[in-house]
Amino acid sequence: MVNDRDNQLNQKDSPLVRLRDLSKSFGRVEAVKSINLDIKSRDFLAILGPSGCGKTTLLRLIGGFAEPSNGTIEIGGNDVTRLGPERRPTNMVFQGYGLFPHMTVRENIAFGLKIQKVSQSEREQRVDDVIGLVRLEELADRGTGELSGGQQQRAALARAIVMRPQVLLLDEPLAALDLKLRQTMQEELRRIHNEIGGTFVFVTHDQGEALALSNRIAVMDEGNIVQEGGPEDIYASPESRFVSTFIGEANILSGRRQNSVVTLAAGLDLPSSSGPDGAVILVIRPEAVQILSDNSQADVRTEGTIVDKVYLGAYVRFQVQLSSDELITANVSTLNLPKEYFSGDRIAVGWGGKDHRILMDS
């Protein structure tokens, strides 16, 4: 027999949101393809992918704004697959904010509570608390038309958070903001998430934003989740050409594996590479590639010609053409340059054996 303590432990360890074989078709177009995904309580999950990959459709399915063609959605152990958004423990912040222009900030935030017939005293307390959380105290009685883009985003967040959803859904929440304001709002989102201890799921096509905000990332392509995990794992250990180039920058060198030895088109042999024989790619991040002096040691070493050099403050970006005519980019710290280099110089580049990944070229 399972006792109450075992039940509590099972509930604690079980995912807050569980998607099973979830799909959505629009006519002949399958926007979401049989997705299985678990979202834990307190996760800040980024659904990341290019335009048209199905990420916003997936978010709308979780929120109840679209009905799945197949599969199930569970939140908090309850099947909500056929429930509308008003009957789910979720709330959504849309890209366009959706604030009521004829209301003040305070009235916008209180609107959902009034619909739910929350008492005036509780409503006022909850609205005041969330206004403080998003730091809009001095703007609470202004019309939304008087707010900047970042202030409107905070008001939209407050209106969603005040309803105390189990899962807060955010659809490209920072896309309309300029770079500086977007960076500021990223810090605010992290702070708010930490303070309320909630579960956030947000959609973005910006890989930098996903890396900066989330503790987990689900990378989507053509309706599928192609890789899911922590930001460090996905960046350092991409499982496909698509993920390696979509998340950050990556050098891709072609080669072939035969009897556990990889021979690159650039003429290098890399022994001890387990996996099937056939065409492969080597993936190496630009920051892992170093310019080598004559006496430098590196697990992998090759030569090429500098075809471009750009000074970027903290580092210098070199593009080096290898004997295979492939280009390899090296982002070298200005503190680690052995000497001055110029376009046309012949140089050696290299990296540690643990810094690259060998993937089948599919």
Side-chain angles (χ1 to χ4, degrees):
M1 175 178 285
V2 179
N3 60 33
D4 290 341
R5 182 175 179 276
D6 289 334
N7 277 327
Q8 291 174 357
L9 288 174
N10 288 336
Q11 290 174 0
K12 182 179 179 181
D13 294 336
S14 63
L16 176 61
V17 180
R18 189 192 302 266
L19 310 181
R20 289 295 177 269
D21 300 319
L22 193 66
S23 63
K24 177 63 178 178
S25 296
F26 299 95
R28 296 183 178 180
V29 178
E30 195 173 14
V32 172
K33 302 175 181 177
S34 194
I35 280 179
N36 292 282
L37 179 67
D38 290 340
I39 303 171
K40 298 178 182 178
S41 179
R42 300 179 67 91
D43 265 350
F44 201 140
L45 173 72
I47 302 174
L48 174 67
S51 297
C53 72
K55 56 187 184 295
T56 293
T57 300
L58 179 57
L59 196 73
R60 290 174 62 84
L61 288 169
I62 297 172
F65 295 96
E67 187 172 328
S69 303
N70 291 290
T72 59
I73 303 166
E74 291 183 10
I75 301 178
N78 299 312
D79 189 335
V80 301
T81 310
R82 303 302 168 188
L83 299 183
E86 74 285 354
R87 299 177 62 194
R88 299 191 186 193
T90 61
N91 214 325
M92 191 158 177
V93 179
F94 295 94
Q95 187 173 340
Y97 310 143
L99 298 171
F100 300 118
H102 60 288
M103 294 182 182
T104 65
V105 171
R106 187 183 301 277
E107 290 168 342
N108 264 280
I109 296 170
F111 182 77
L113 297 176
K114 290 183 71 174
I115 295 297
Q116 286 191 347
K117 295 182 168 40
V118 175
S119 69
Q120 183 174 349
S121 59
E122 182 183 351
R123 187 169 69 237
E124 289 176 352
Q125 183 61 57
R126 285 169 64 172
V127 170
D128 285 342
D129 288 346
V130 80
I131 284 174
L133 179 69
V134 299
R135 298 174 177 171
L136 285 177
E137 295 96 331
E138 296 182 1
L139 305 172
D141 296 311
R142 290 192 186 182
T144 57
E146 301 176 60
L147 305 182
S148 68
Q151 291 162 350
Q152 289 185 44
Q153 180 64 75
R154 294 185 195 198
L157 276 170
R159 188 175 63 179
I161 291 169
V162 79
M163 303 305 294
R164 297 177 178 171
Q166 285 185 270
V167 185
L168 182 63
L169 308 172
L170 304 109
D171 184 14
E172 302 259 16
L174 311 182
L177 306 180
D178 62 45
L179 177 61
K180 186 66 175 178
L181 191 51
R182 193 158 66 244
Q183 292 171 338
T184 300
M185 281 305 302
Q186 287 175 7
E187 296 172 3
E188 289 297 294
L189 276 173
R190 282 197 302 270
R191 177 184 64 81
I192 290 168
H193 178 259
N194 289 334
E195 287 192 23
I196 69 175
T199 302
F200 288 14
V201 181
F202 82 108
V203 156
T204 181
H205 64 273
D206 185 329
Q207 51 91 13
E209 187 170 283
L211 292 170
L213 284 174
S214 63
N215 71 301
R216 290 175 61 218
I217 297 174
V219 184
M220 288 191 69
D221 185 36
E222 297 183 347
N224 297 297
I225 292 179
V226 294
Q227 189 170 347
E228 184 271 325
E232 298 89 349
D233 292 335
I234 287 187
Y235 184 82
S237 303
E239 295 176 357
S240 67
R241 178 192 287 264
F242 171 79
V243 173
S244 64
T245 54
F246 192 78
I247 305 290
E249 295 181 85
N251 293 297
I252 307 291
L253 302 179
S254 61
R256 190 164 190 85
R257 180 162 45 212
Q258 187 72 35
N259 298 325
S260 299
V261 175
V262 170
T263 301
L264 297 180
L268 293 172
D269 285 339
L270 307 175
S272 302
S273 174
S274 60
D277 291 349
V280 297
I281 56 172
L282 179 146
V283 179
I284 179 75
R285 298 293 183 184
E287 64 271 19
V289 180
Q290 295 295 317
I291 293 180
L292 305 176
S293 60
D294 291 341
N295 57 357
S296 296
Q297 299 295 314
D299 295 331
V300 181
R301 183 186 183 103
T302 188
E303 293 186 353
T305 302
I306 298 174
V307 295
D308 193 28
K309 171 189 171 185
V310 182
Y311 176 77
L312 295 171
Y315 64 93
V316 180
R317 173 172 295 177
F318 294 91
Q319 279 201 314
V320 179
Q321 188 173 38
L322 306 181
S323 61
S324 59
D325 287 335
E326 295 171 307
L327 295 178
I328 189 167
T329 299
N331 292 342
V332 183
S333 167
T334 53
L335 301 177
N336 294 334
L337 282 173
K339 63 177 185 179
E340 183 72 9
Y341 295 96
F342 303 93
S343 292
D345 284 354
R346 187 78 178 166
I347 62 168
V349 295
W351 58 88
K354 294 182 179 180
D355 293 329
H356 69 238
R357 284 180 63 80
I358 303 295
L359 305 174
M360 295 303 294
D361 190 9
S362 54

